[in-house]
Amino acid sequence: MPEVPKPEELMKIDYRPPERPWMETKPEFRGGRFCNAASPKWLEALDYPYARTWSVTDEDWNLPENWKDIVLESMHDRLNRFRSLRLFFDICVRCGACADKCHYFIGSGDPKNMPVLRAELLRSVYRRYYTVAGKLLGKLAGARELTEDVLKEWFYYLYQCTECRRCSVFCPYGIDMAELTILGRELLSSVGINTEWVMASVGSCYRTGNHIGAPPHAYKDMIDFFCDECEEVTGIRPRPSFNRKGAEILFVAPSGDYFADPGTYTFMGYLLLFEYLDLDYTISGYASEGGNFGYFISHEMGKRLNYKIYSEAKRLGVKWILGGECGHMWRVLNQYMDTWNGPADFLEEPVSPITDTRFENAKSTKMVHVTEFTADLIKHGKLKLDKSRNDHIVLTYHDSCNPARAMGLFEEPRYIMRNVCNNFYEMPQNTIRESTFCCGSGSGLNADELLEVRMRGGLPRANAVRYVHEKHGVNHLGCICAIDRAVLPPLLEYWGLDVEITGIHEMVANALVFPGEKKKTVDLRDRTLKGVEPEEIEEEE
């Protein structure tokens, strides 16, 4: 793993425009600033074209002989299939409203990380081959030839976009840079240019049902271990079922929640909540992933991976689907599922078996976000909660990009947090809700070899956390995305912040008061609760 400059060095950001024109400035491929090339085995397993061994730092990327024709034909195909692509290419007036909205530009000062210029990397080629002005006037019309250097530049900067869509919030035309990034990555993929982190996750998910490649029995073993931990802390042992046909609900969670801390505590929170409710649910060992890294490569691969959830729901004969705290699972579900795999007519419109609430927003997808489900439980008084059990936590909330901007899920998580925690503080208004800053590591960029870019991109988020940490003593950052829970700990540590990351349902489980429970002295992380005396812990032991 490349060495990352110290924070004080990374903070020396130069926002002055470069002396040379942007078309003449090549990216610098050095450690910490690019993703590693995908191994051939993943491309072969997924039947992707031009699988080969190559290295990003090599001069020769071993492209197919007719690579230029392939890319241009792929662009032509997408211009015909996606009206949005041609529209976004044509309507941008380069006003610069998005320029300072990208976390990567803020953290790097690189003008090609301005969304307007990142899009121009693609748009300039479009002009050259698909517009009259570009064909006749060339550079004078902002057009340029497609060369290997241009292709390498696409790779460098399209993998410095987390598809978070913050720039789109501020664009007067609503241009969606995330769509341009996805389609640009599709063009790269058409000639075998992919990244290891994304393709390994996609290949594993395609083979076993989850990004980490865990087979069904390993998934079950992990959940059984969580049940042991829950029983150790609370005296209550959850009783999940696996691959059970005829259950009312299929529950799907991201692999990050059963693979590594702190996501594991969120999964324990799910289990305890469902046990409290005696919920009729099952977990599939085959649809064991809510996340969808396929969406970071292409629309087609996103569609292929999303299908596994609905295929399992149909096989098991459930009524509807409940999804965990994940990020891109919910953008895919809310913005793409109906045209990719739906409508899911074999399922029923979700109705809470506890409150009888009909989730009309899920009428078509048949899938409910767990924070919607839990907020509804609290609203109807179905959970006995002791907020004081989270008094050791001073909380702020990170609006995870996809559930926030793509789903509009702003109030439900906050409603839950205010009902399970006494100490909650918002970060500055221009850094939350629709304007939330990205974690800096989404869309398949959470690879260690990209650490410098990640730390730069996460700087705006870290600064907002620093504000509430210093003003209010915030010591926990809540979020509803598995990638956030994985990448925010090293980000905050790098920027010198002693703030832990927590999922929302971890805190719900901490606050839940079970009938007949043993005296609770510690939280799910085995940390002593505020106000508990040492002798109380000794008596319990």
Side-chain angles (χ1 to χ4, degrees):
M1 187 173 71
E3 187 175 342
V4 180
K6 296 184 183 302
E8 53 269 23
E9 297 175 44
L10 224 58
M11 281 296 294
K12 297 174 183 176
I13 304 168
D14 187 358
Y15 293 104
R16 294 175 300 176
E19 295 179 1
R20 300 177 64 190
W22 71 266
M23 286 191 188
E24 299 175 13
T25 307
K26 294 182 180 181
E28 182 186 358
F29 286 97
R30 66 174 177 80
R33 292 189 176 186
F34 63 86
C35 295
N36 290 336
S39 305
K41 65 176 182 178
W42 301 119
L43 276 68
E44 291 166 354
L46 295 164
D47 197 27
Y48 260 58
Y50 305 109
R52 64 192 186 279
T53 301
W54 62 285
S55 175
V56 176
T57 55
D58 290 344
E59 185 67 27
D60 184 1
W61 284 14
N62 294 325
L63 297 169
E65 286 187 15
N66 60 335
W67 70 267
K68 186 173 179 179
D69 292 334
I70 295 169
V71 172
L72 291 176
E73 286 172 12
S74 297
M75 180 178 281
H76 181 73
D77 171 62
R78 282 152 183 81
L79 286 168
N80 289 331
R81 285 198 292 129
F82 298 96
R83 184 172 179 269
S84 59
L85 180 59
R86 189 179 294 274
L87 187 67
F88 293 157
F89 276 164
D90 287 340
I91 66 175
C92 177
V93 295
R94 294 178 294 287
C95 67
C98 64
D100 60 346
K101 306 306 186 294
C102 178
H103 45 284
Y104 285 127
F105 172 69
I106 295 172
S108 69
D110 187 338
K112 292 182 186 178
N113 271 327
M114 294 179 182
V116 59
L117 190 45
R118 190 186 289 117
E120 200 73 8
L121 304 180
L122 295 165
R123 190 180 290 117
S124 58
V125 173
Y126 161 74
R127 286 199 196 97
R128 165 62 183 83
Y129 296 95
Y130 298 98
T131 69
V132 175
K135 290 176 180 178
L136 295 176
L137 301 175
K139 277 190 178 182
L140 290 175
R144 61 175 178 168
E145 295 284 339
L146 178 59
T147 65
E148 287 193 31
D149 284 340
V150 168
L151 202 68
K152 291 177 179 181
E153 187 179 53
W154 285 2
F155 174 82
Y156 188 81
Y157 287 104
L158 292 178
Y159 282 96
Q160 289 189 36
C161 171
T162 49
E163 303 172 12
C164 79
R165 301 167 73 239
R166 188 174 195 265
C167 52
S168 301
V169 173
F170 297 92
C171 175
Y173 293 100
I175 294 172
D176 191 341
M177 186 63 223
E179 284 294 293
L180 293 176
T181 294
I182 294 165
L183 291 167
R185 290 184 184 181
E186 287 189 20
L187 299 182
L188 292 170
S189 192
S190 70
V191 288
I193 299 177
N194 300 278
T195 67
E196 176 70 9
W197 184 262
V198 173
M199 293 305 290
S201 298
V202 171
S204 297
C205 193
Y206 198 65
R207 181 171 60 89
T208 66
N210 56 74
H211 294 153
I212 60 175
H217 63 277
Y219 181 38
K220 181 182 183 300
D221 286 347
M222 293 180 208
I223 296 175
D224 286 342
F225 172 74
F226 297 153
C227 293
D228 293 340
E229 291 294 295
C230 289
E231 187 174 20
E232 178 70 24
V233 172
T234 67
I236 306 296
R237 184 175 185 84
R239 297 163 297 167
S241 67
F242 300 89
N243 305 318
R244 177 167 61 89
K245 291 187 175 182
E248 180 174 1
I249 298 167
L250 170 64
F251 178 65
V252 181
S255 57
D257 282 354
Y258 56 84
F259 176 62
D261 296 343
T264 52
Y265 304 113
T266 302
F267 206 111
M268 290 165 65
Y270 304 144
L271 294 170
L272 285 166
L273 173 65
F274 300 159
E275 183 64 25
Y276 181 95
L277 300 171
D278 194 22
L279 195 67
D280 182 16
Y281 77 104
T282 194
I283 299 170
S284 168
Y286 304 96
S288 52
E289 177 65 76
N292 192 330
F293 272 41
Y295 176 65
F296 303 147
I297 304 172
S298 70
H299 292 86
E300 181 59 34
M301 184 51 72
K303 174 182 177 179
R304 286 163 73 180
L305 294 191
N306 189 60
Y307 178 71
K308 70 183 183 303
I309 297 174
Y310 286 88
S311 177
E312 271 298 272
K314 189 172 186 177
R315 184 182 74 87
L316 295 173
V318 301
K319 292 181 178 179
W320 56 280
I321 306 168
L322 182 63
E325 296 182 15
C326 183
H328 40 282
M329 168 165 64
W330 292 103
R331 184 177 179 202
V332 166
L333 259 295
N334 281 268
Q335 297 189 334
Y336 295 93
M337 205 292 289
D338 278 343
T339 52
W340 280 358
N341 308 113
D345 295 335
F346 55 89
L347 297 173
E348 298 178 10
E349 182 179 340
V351 176
S352 172
I354 313 300
T355 66
D356 292 327
T357 294
R358 186 173 296 275
F359 294 99
E360 294 182 355
N361 60 305
K363 182 179 291 187
S364 182
T365 64
K366 311 299 194 295
M367 190 164 182
V368 174
H369 193 287
V370 70
T371 60
E372 297 174 294
F373 179 73
T374 302
D376 176 67
L377 294 170
I378 295 173
K379 180 181 178 181
H380 287 86
K382 298 300 182 180
L383 302 181
K384 186 176 181 181
L385 300 166
D386 182 355
K387 295 166 69 172
S388 69
R389 292 177 173 181
N390 283 313
D391 277 354
H392 57 303
I393 293 174
V394 184
L395 185 68
T396 191
Y397 179 62
H398 164 65
D399 288 276
S400 302
C401 297
N402 284 313
R405 271 189 287 268
M407 191 181 179
L409 198 64
F410 302 124
E411 301 308 325
E412 290 86 346
R414 288 175 167 82
Y415 182 75
I416 296 171
M417 287 183 288
R418 290 190 171 99
N419 278 276
V420 301
C421 180
N422 284 312
N423 308 300
F424 175 72
Y425 299 94
E426 292 277 20
M427 286 183 277
Q429 287 299 310
N430 64 337
T431 71
I432 61 173
R433 300 179 184 270
E434 293 94 338
S435 300
T436 185
F437 274 113
C438 181
C439 65
S441 300
S443 88
L445 305 188
N446 45 327
D448 285 345
E449 68 265 20
L450 201 66
L451 205 54
E452 179 182 334
V453 169
R454 288 171 49 191
M455 297 303 103
R456 288 185 182 277
L459 174 59
R461 178 77 293 165
N463 279 341
V465 176
R466 184 182 301 280
Y467 175 82
V468 288
H469 174 64
E470 294 177 350
K471 184 174 183 179
H472 302 293
V474 162
N475 58 19
H476 281 71
L477 175 61
C479 58
I480 54 171
C481 172
I483 287 181
D484 287 335
R485 285 191 285 277
V487 303
L488 286 171
L491 175 74
L492 298 186
E493 181 182 358
Y494 176 83
W495 288 112
L497 290 166
D498 187 15
V499 176
E500 296 192 59
I501 309 302
T502 179
I504 304 308
H505 279 78
E506 175 186 347
M507 300 184 65
V508 171
N510 284 342
L512 268 179
V513 179
F514 279 84
E517 67 177 15
K518 73 176 185 180
K519 182 176 177 59
K520 187 173 281 190
T521 57
V522 295
D523 67 4
L524 286 182
R525 303 191 190 194
D526 205 30
R527 300 175 300 189
T528 303
L529 300 183
K530 197 168 184 178
V532 173
E533 299 298 329
E535 54 268 22
E536 294 182 76
I537 300 176
E538 291 176 7
E539 288 174 10
E540 187 177 310
E541 293 174 348

